[in-house]
Amino acid sequence: MILIHRGIRGYMQRRAAIRMQAATVAPTGLAGQERPLDPDAAISVRGLRMAYGVMEAVRGIDLDVHRGEIVAFLGPNGAGKTTTVEILEGYRHRTGGEALVLGEDPGHAPLPWRDRIGVVLQESTVEPDLTALEVLELYAGYHAHPRPVMETLELVGLAERAGARGSQLSGGQRRRLEVAIGLIGDPELLFLDEPTTGFDPSARRQSWEVIAELQRRGTTIFLTTHYMDEAEALADRIVVIAGGQIIAEGTPQSLAGRDTRPSTLSFRLTGSGRQAALPEALASRAVANGDGWLHLSTRDPLADTAILAAWAEQNEVPLRDLEVRRPSLEEIYLELTEGDRA
Ligand code: ATP
């Protein structure tokens, strides 16, 4: 895979600025805020609603996605993600609220606007009888200013399979070709719907590199995924939707106060160490979990680790598998969406 690392320092500065902005801007998705649409944002939405008959799938969403940002849109099955994304892509008409995507109302956007957005859908769009090159040439023809076909195949790591027919590509390779189709128009804004479902771990990592490279080139990315590690690796900001409403947003590190939650200090005692009494300062917080494992909640991991290490040395107790862990993004997400999961 060829990744072009141009202007790396500029990119790092831009990325740091985006992360800073993501960490400091007032949340846009939380209810009760009256702010005008932002015409300079890649996506700006206020009070977005969508009802299928009597069923309200989206119930008043406010959201801004800044240019150059990667936003991960997370939520349980049936939360309203696809409905929201289809409205933003201009494929579905909303029943309420306001929306601007690249400065245009996606419900009434002119044709040239479509050229500025790229879409990678969940389901396959690859022609089985055409080669990867032919598929991409076909789609390039639909765009006013397409990206060079071979360069796009290289970007997604498919250059060596350019002559293979759709039916001869593996599942992961077909998914890469779908990503290439989303990129061929050289979009300013890319919607990626579960881009790595079905990928092996190394293909997922390669796709993350492609997505990071797109951001380096200035593309804004709106990503839906059920993989928390993917959201954590890629997103500047995470937005969680449940029951058609945004229930939390923040950086992967700060979502729902993740950065201020207590950590867990874990270690394993073996042999005679299992009978040793822990220091008083730690004993009341320690929970035994079988096989000699002990876990304790700590707001000051450094101080508690120092107490533990001193105790272990003094009593000649070997500490096995010592680790300090903050709540994972998955734990935070599961806590947020408890009760909303279909
Ligand atoms: P998933 O993670 O399973 O893809 P999602 O978050 O994308 O879910 P949506 O597909 O937006 O959820 O669906 C939101 C709600 O709207 C669900 O209850 C779904 O059953 C309902 N829904 C979606 N499309 C339609 C439709 N065309 N007609 C009626 N109801 C629909």
Side-chain angles (χ1 to χ4, degrees), residues 192-205:
L192 283 175
D193 198 358
E194 299 186 25
T196 65
T197 298
F199 278 23
D200 68 47
S202 94
R204 289 183 72 215
R205 297 285 158 147

Side-chain angles (χ1 to χ4, degrees), residues 14 67-68 188 213-220:
R14 220 170 55 240
R67 301 242 179 188
E188 292 167 50
E213 173 62 14
L214 289 172
Q215 187 187 40
R216 282 194 275 277
R217 296 174 181 210
T219 312
T220 307

Side-chain angles (χ1 to χ4, degrees), residues 6-257:
R6 259 181 290 147
I8 247 330
R9 185 181 298 168
Y11 163 72
M12 293 306 280
Q13 285 166 347
R14 220 170 55 240
R15 175 108 184 166
I18 288 169
R19 286 240 146 123
M20 181 98 73
Q21 192 179 25
T24 55
V25 287
T28 54
L30 305 177
Q33 294 176 359
E34 296 287 336
R35 297 190 310 113
L37 286 167
D38 180 356
D40 297 324
I43 296 172
S44 189
V45 157
R46 297 292 179 269
L48 188 74
R49 289 185 171 273
M50 177 67 204
Y52 298 106
V54 292
M55 215 288 285
E56 275 214 298
V58 176
R59 300 189 293 141
I61 284 181
D62 295 348
L63 177 68
D64 286 329
V65 175
H66 309 288
R67 301 242 179 188
E69 222 184 350
I70 299 181
V71 168
F73 197 41
L74 309 181
N77 292 138
K81 301 180 297 293
T82 305
T83 301
T84 304
V85 169
E86 285 178 355
I87 291 168
L88 299 176
E89 292 167 347
Y91 291 132
R92 196 174 279 289
H93 283 285
R94 61 187 183 270
T95 50
E98 297 173 285
L100 287 179
V101 175
L102 298 178
E104 303 276 358
D105 181 338
H108 310 280
L111 208 53
W113 171 85
R114 185 142 292 288
D115 222 27
R116 297 167 61 203
I117 66 167
V119 175
V120 179
L121 298 169
Q122 259 179 54
E123 58 281 3
S124 176
T125 49
V126 171
E127 269 287 330
D129 299 328
L130 298 181
T131 66
L133 187 74
E134 288 165 347
V135 167
L136 224 46
E137 281 173 348
L138 181 72
Y139 279 88
Y142 299 142
H143 296 278
H145 308 286
R147 194 190 279 272
V149 169
M150 271 318 287
E151 184 196 296
T152 310
L153 283 173
E154 277 170 11
L155 181 66
V156 299
L158 264 189
E160 282 164 20
R161 301 292 283 147
R165 297 188 191 287
S167 58
Q168 297 168 327
L169 296 174
S170 73
Q173 289 169 340
R174 272 202 298 279
R175 195 74 186 122
R176 285 168 192 230
L177 186 53
E178 287 161 14
V179 173
I181 291 169
L183 294 177
I184 193 67
D186 201 9
E188 292 167 50
L189 169 63
L190 182 64
F191 291 95
L192 283 175
D193 198 358
E194 299 186 25
T196 65
T197 298
F199 278 23
D200 68 47
S202 94
R204 289 183 72 215
R205 297 285 158 147
Q206 285 171 11
S207 297
W208 294 356
E209 279 184 44
V210 171
I211 293 167
E213 173 62 14
L214 289 172
Q215 187 187 40
R216 282 194 275 277
R217 296 174 181 210
T219 312
T220 307
I221 294 165
F222 196 72
L223 166 81
T224 57
T225 180
H226 288 296
Y227 297 123
M228 295 300 132
D229 57 343
E230 185 157 286
E232 182 145 28
L234 291 174
D236 299 301
R237 194 151 51 96
I238 287 176
V239 175
V240 183
I241 180 172
Q245 291 181 311
I246 291 176
I247 56 166
E249 67 175 278
T251 63
Q253 292 73 30
S254 69
L255 188 73

